[in-house]
């Protein structure tokens, strides 16, 4: 009993400790922002490896999710004779929820895990300490560009996901199931609200990009510098990002759409 | 040993330094001096904390007690920017090389130049090729770090450490993994860098022969204490059993080969427990 309590206490302390280190890490990262602006080359390189290399998985997943939405939506809506509104349903689900959330989950698995492994291995092979000894601050040179690349890529990837998904829904809806193409697009244009749907969706993906990049980089930086430590950190990145994304999604949705 | 008054001409002085890792005391009140323009070697058995000492000097670790002064500045009281300015004048050769794995050899050596100077690419090229030539690996400039042997990686790391022409170089095991020819060439290089550029060098090494050949002054550390120090000639002559054992490589003597542990026979016989 006492043992359990002690354990619980130790674990709680460890979590708070980690939260503290994580916050300090974030502040240090943010303080490296200026040097990212001064050296855009570093940012561009990272935008490529974090963002551009995630294009394929985002596009393909977006297409399939959109196609499934087209199918499911059609079967439900046609029962009420409302298949004309398929476009609205597909677009709203994607732009509000599935676009930001699913692309963030994919991003955590594709780019987040890669970032953690990269930073963790750089730590394990003393590259970070070597840089410090060469008077190059790894927070500025390595961490900050990757962080901002993640923050910038995420909303763009989410937008790509939604756009491709809407096309997928249209392919299935009008191509396969015979929903009027004009209705698909015009209903969507008429019913989607810029502020409510699009801006809120973008806000969500910005938050997810921030949180995922932070978790991925911090887990790598905080990893125990061994192969096992890095592998555990990579797992933690994916798991913790997924929890944070889904939890925050609920909170953000409640805040954004709560007063309707 | 008299540690009270630092010699006038020391670039680095370590005073009453204590450092622990968890419960394990790695250094217990040690004081050392590293004279300007000289090569000072630190020798001692594996695991005594030689690498740790270099990291303390470079300000990467903080001592429990005592101080480290480099060129008149107390390393552990410096603000970040000042510490980084100091580090620009210190080259460090890591035991593992610590090359950046996403760049080839050329870019690795060019890295500190690109980070800290505004030289043109053609100037950088000249400097990089000069440094690579010095370590005998100019032909390897296009290789990636994973294509290098351990010994080669360390020589590239040395080329990188001297890229900014520092005032002091810390070498962590420069000779490990080198064949006799490159070992000789490296020893010669370290000596000539030191003499022609007026550098101060601190070498951590087990290679008694090569080290005695080039070092001016030697400290022998064991179990958190300095067990002997003196000029190379004095060390060669020394009657101290610690030093003699280390120089001759005898297994029996005051320097333990074993990490501290309980009695071997007792340990073997105490079955039941896992550790
Ligand atoms: N990160 C760490 N955490 C805990 N203990 C450590 C850590 N790094 C080193 N140690 C301990 O500190 C002691 C000194 O390590 P150090 O690497 O300085 O030895 P060394 O003298 O350089 O040995 P070698 O000649 O084998 O390189 C060792 O006993 C080691 O167990
Ligand atoms: Mg060592």
């Amino acid at each position: 009993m006492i043992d359990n309590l002690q354990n619980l206490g130790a674990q709680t302390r460890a979590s708070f400790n980690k939260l503290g280190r994580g916050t300090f890490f974030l502040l240090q990262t943010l303080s490296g922002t200026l040097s990212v602006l001064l050296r855009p080359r570093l940012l561009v390189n990272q935008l490529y490896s974090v963002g551009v290399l995630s294009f394929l998985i985002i596009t393909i997943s977006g297409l399939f999710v959109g196609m499934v939405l087209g199918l499911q939506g059609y079967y439900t809506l046609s029962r009420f004779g409302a298949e004309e509104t398929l476009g609205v349903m597909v677009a709203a689900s994607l732009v509000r929820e599935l676009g930001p959330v699913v692309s963030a989950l994919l991003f955590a698995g594709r780019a987040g895990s890669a970032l953690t492994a990269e930073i963790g291995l750089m730590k394990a092979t003393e590259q970070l300490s070597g840089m410090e000894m060469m008077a190059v601050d790894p927070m500025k040179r390595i961490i900050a560009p990757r962080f901002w690349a993640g923050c910038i890529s995420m909303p763009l990837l989410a937008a790509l996901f939604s756009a491709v998904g809407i096309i997928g829904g249209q392919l299935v809806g009008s191509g396969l199931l015979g929903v009027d193409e004009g209705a698909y697009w015009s209903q969507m244009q008429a019913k989607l609200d810029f502020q409510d749907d699009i801006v809120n969706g973008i806000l969500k993906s910005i938050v997810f990009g921030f949180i995922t990049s932070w978790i991925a980089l911090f887990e790598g930086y905080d990893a125990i510098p061994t192969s096992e430590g890095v592998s555990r950190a990579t797992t933690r990145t994916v798991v913790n990002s997924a929890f944070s994304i889904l939890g925050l999604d609920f909170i953000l949705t409640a805040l954004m759409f709560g007063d309707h | 040993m008299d540690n009270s008054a630092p010699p006038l001409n020391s670039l680095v002085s370590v005073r009453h330094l204590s450092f622990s890792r968890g419960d394990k005391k790695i250094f217990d009140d040690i004081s050392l001096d590293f004279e300007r323009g000289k090569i000072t070697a630190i020798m001692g058995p594996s695991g005594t904390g030689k690498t740790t000492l270099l990291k303390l000097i470079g300000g990467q670790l903080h001592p429990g007690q005592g101080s480290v002064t480099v060129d008149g500045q107390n390393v552990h009281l410096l603000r970040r920017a000042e510490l980084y300015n100091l580090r620009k004048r210190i080259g460090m050769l890591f035991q593992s090389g610590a090359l950046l794995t996403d760049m080839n050899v050329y870019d690795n050596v060019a890295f500190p130049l690109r980070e800290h100077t505004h030289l043109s690419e053609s100037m950088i090229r000249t400097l990089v090729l000069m440094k690579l030539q010095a370590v005998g690996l100019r032909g390897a400039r296009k290789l990636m770090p994973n294509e290098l042997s351990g010994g080669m990686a360390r020589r590239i790391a040395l080329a990188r450490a001297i890229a900014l022409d520092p005032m002091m170089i810390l070498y962590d095991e420069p000779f490990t993994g080198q064949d006799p020819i490159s070992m000789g060439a490296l020893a010669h290089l370290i000596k000539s860098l030191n003499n022609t550029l007026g550098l101060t060098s601190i070498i951590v090494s087990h290679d008694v022969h090569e080290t005695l050949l080039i070092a001016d002054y030697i400290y022998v550390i064991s179990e958190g204490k300095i067990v002997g120090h003196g000029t190379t000639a004095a060390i060669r002559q020394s009657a101290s059993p610690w030093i003699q054992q280390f120089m001759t490589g005898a297994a029996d003597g005051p320097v333990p080969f074993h990490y501290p542990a309980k009695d071997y026979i007792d340990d073997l016989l105490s079955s039941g427990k896992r550790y």
Side-chain angles (χ1 to χ4, degrees):
Chain A
M1 182 64 197
I2 297 286
D3 263 10
N4 281 344
L5 273 180
Q6 271 182 347
N7 246 331
L8 189 73
Q11 273 175 17
T12 318
R13 233 183 60 185
S15 328
F16 275 104
N17 215 317
K18 187 162 179 180
L19 199 66
R21 272 178 289 143
T23 311
F24 183 65
F25 175 85
L26 180 64
L27 294 178
Q28 277 187 303
T29 307
L30 293 177
S31 73
T33 304
L34 185 66
S35 59
V36 177
L37 294 175
L38 293 177
R39 293 180 65 181
R41 261 303 283 284
L42 294 178
L43 180 63
V44 171
N45 288 345
Q46 290 310 316
L47 278 174
Y48 177 79
S49 60
V50 171
V52 176
L53 293 182
S54 306
F55 260 34
L56 192 66
I57 185 173
I58 293 286
T59 312
I60 294 178
S61 315
L63 189 67
F64 279 109
V65 169
M67 283 169 24
V68 169
L69 279 176
L71 279 177
Q72 294 278 17
Y74 180 81
Y75 290 131
T76 312
L77 293 173
S78 61
R79 268 195 258 163
F80 309 104
E83 57 267 37
E84 307 286 85
T85 57
L86 182 66
V88 186
M89 200 222 94
V90 170
S93 333
L94 279 169
V95 173
R96 284 182 175 188
E97 282 299 329
L98 293 173
V101 173
V102 179
S103 60
L105 293 174
L106 292 170
F107 181 77
R110 161 68 186 72
S113 59
L115 283 177
T116 305
E118 184 187 16
I119 304 293
L121 284 172
M122 287 182 96
K123 183 179 179 188
T125 52
E126 292 199 297
Q127 294 182 56
L128 295 182
S129 28
M131 248 182 222
E132 273 176 20
M133 278 309 294
M134 287 188 280
V136 175
D137 187 350
M139 295 310 281
K140 292 183 181 152
R141 179 67 174 65
I142 300 290
I143 306 289
R146 283 165 175 75
F147 177 77
W148 285 112
C151 290
I152 295 171
S153 307
M154 187 70 264
L156 298 175
L157 291 171
L160 176 72
F161 185 96
S162 299
V164 175
I166 290 172
I167 295 172
Q170 194 262 331
L171 286 179
V172 169
S174 6
L176 222 62
L177 304 168
V179 176
D180 181 58
E181 199 178 331
Y184 186 91
W185 295 111
S186 62
Q187 290 269 355
M188 189 189 307
Q189 278 175 356
K191 300 275 168 56
L192 274 203
D193 186 84
F194 181 72
Q195 166 68 35
D196 268 1
D197 299 317
I198 297 178
V199 172
N200 281 345
I202 293 173
L203 279 180
K204 275 187 182 177
S205 62
I206 290 175
V207 174
F208 297 159
F210 181 91
I211 205 87
T212 311
S213 312
W214 176 22
I215 291 177
L217 291 168
F218 175 63
E219 287 292 357
Y221 195 78
D222 202 48
I224 298 166
T226 59
S227 23
E228 198 203 3
V230 174
S231 105
R232 283 193 188 183
T234 311
T235 310
R236 273 201 306 273
T237 290
V238 177
V239 173
N240 291 350
S241 301
F243 279 144
S244 315
I245 289 164
L246 296 171
L248 279 171
D249 184 46
F250 176 75
I251 296 172
L252 289 173
T253 309
L255 288 178
M256 288 168 174
F257 301 101
D259 50 347
H260 281 254
Chain B
M1 218 178 308
D2 177 22
N3 306 317
S4 42
L8 284 175
N9 205 15
S10 72
L11 180 64
V12 180
S13 56
V14 175
R15 284 285 160 273
H16 304 293
L17 182 87
S18 297
F19 181 80
S20 310
R21 290 261 194 204
D23 291 338
K24 188 167 185 256
K25 233 184 162 110
I26 305 228
F27 296 119
D28 186 10
D29 191 17
I30 60 167
S31 297
L32 307 89
D33 279 287
F34 301 92
E35 216 179 317
R36 259 177 227 276
K38 292 284 162 58
I39 300 180
T40 307
I42 303 168
M43 308 181 83
S46 182
T48 28
K50 301 180 298 300
T51 301
T52 308
L53 182 60
L54 293 187
K55 290 194 169 170
L56 283 161
I57 294 175
Q60 290 199 302
L61 293 173
H62 283 259
Q65 257 148 42
S67 66
V68 176
T69 318
V70 177
D71 200 19
Q73 296 172 290
N74 185 330
V75 174
H76 301 98
L77 296 181
L78 290 180
R79 278 182 295 127
R80 203 179 169 72
E82 295 166 332
L83 179 61
Y84 272 45
N85 271 330
L86 179 64
R87 282 180 183 168
K88 283 181 204 168
R89 300 191 288 142
I90 303 177
M92 173 146 174
L93 177 68
F94 278 72
Q95 201 164 0
S96 60
L99 295 176
L100 302 171
T101 46
D102 58 344
M103 309 176 178
N104 65 15
V105 163
Y106 180 93
D107 289 329
N108 260 292
V109 180
F111 182 82
L113 295 166
R114 289 187 178 139
E115 291 291 322
H116 294 311
T117 69
H118 297 286
L119 298 175
S120 67
E121 275 301 312
S122 69
M123 268 300 274
I124 288 184
R125 185 183 134 89
T126 312
L127 286 172
V128 170
L129 294 187
M130 278 166 58
K131 306 298 175 189
L132 284 174
Q133 175 74 10
V135 297
L137 288 173
R138 189 165 46 85
R141 72 186 100 157
K142 292 213 181 88
L143 297 180
M144 294 302 283
N146 63 338
E147 296 166 325
L148 301 172
S149 74
M152 286 163 85
R154 215 180 304 243
R155 276 149 77 192
I156 301 294
L158 174 56
R160 184 178 68 174
I162 59 177
L164 286 173
D165 293 328
M167 63 167 179
M168 167 167 87
I169 306 188
L170 313 176
Y171 300 90
D172 199 348
E173 309 279 2
F175 303 122
T176 317
Q178 305 294 342
D179 59 82
I181 300 170
S182 36
M183 184 129 63
L186 267 183
H188 183 75
L189 175 67
I190 293 174
K191 187 83 182 168
S192 66
L193 277 174
N194 205 79
N195 295 349
T196 53
L197 301 178
L199 295 174
T200 305
S201 309
I202 301 180
I203 298 186
V204 158
S205 179
H206 304 297
D207 284 277
V208 178
H209 177 69
E210 301 297 331
T211 310
L212 284 182
L213 226 48
I214 57 172
D216 298 303
Y217 201 86
I218 293 175
Y219 285 96
V220 182
I221 308 184
S222 178
E223 295 187 312
K225 294 274 189 198
I226 295 169
V227 293
H229 63 123
T231 58
T232 311
I235 288 282
R236 277 186 206 276
Q237 307 297 321
S238 168
S240 154
W242 295 87
I243 296 175
Q244 276 315 313
Q245 188 199 350
F246 205 76
M247 297 299 139
T248 56
D252 284 327
V255 181
F257 164 64
H258 295 282
Y259 195 88
K262 60 179 163 176
D263 185 68
Y264 183 43
I265 301 294
D266 281 356
D267 213 353
L268 287 178
L269 292 178
S270 66
S271 55
K273 279 204 199 120
R274 257 191 93 194
Y275 289 112

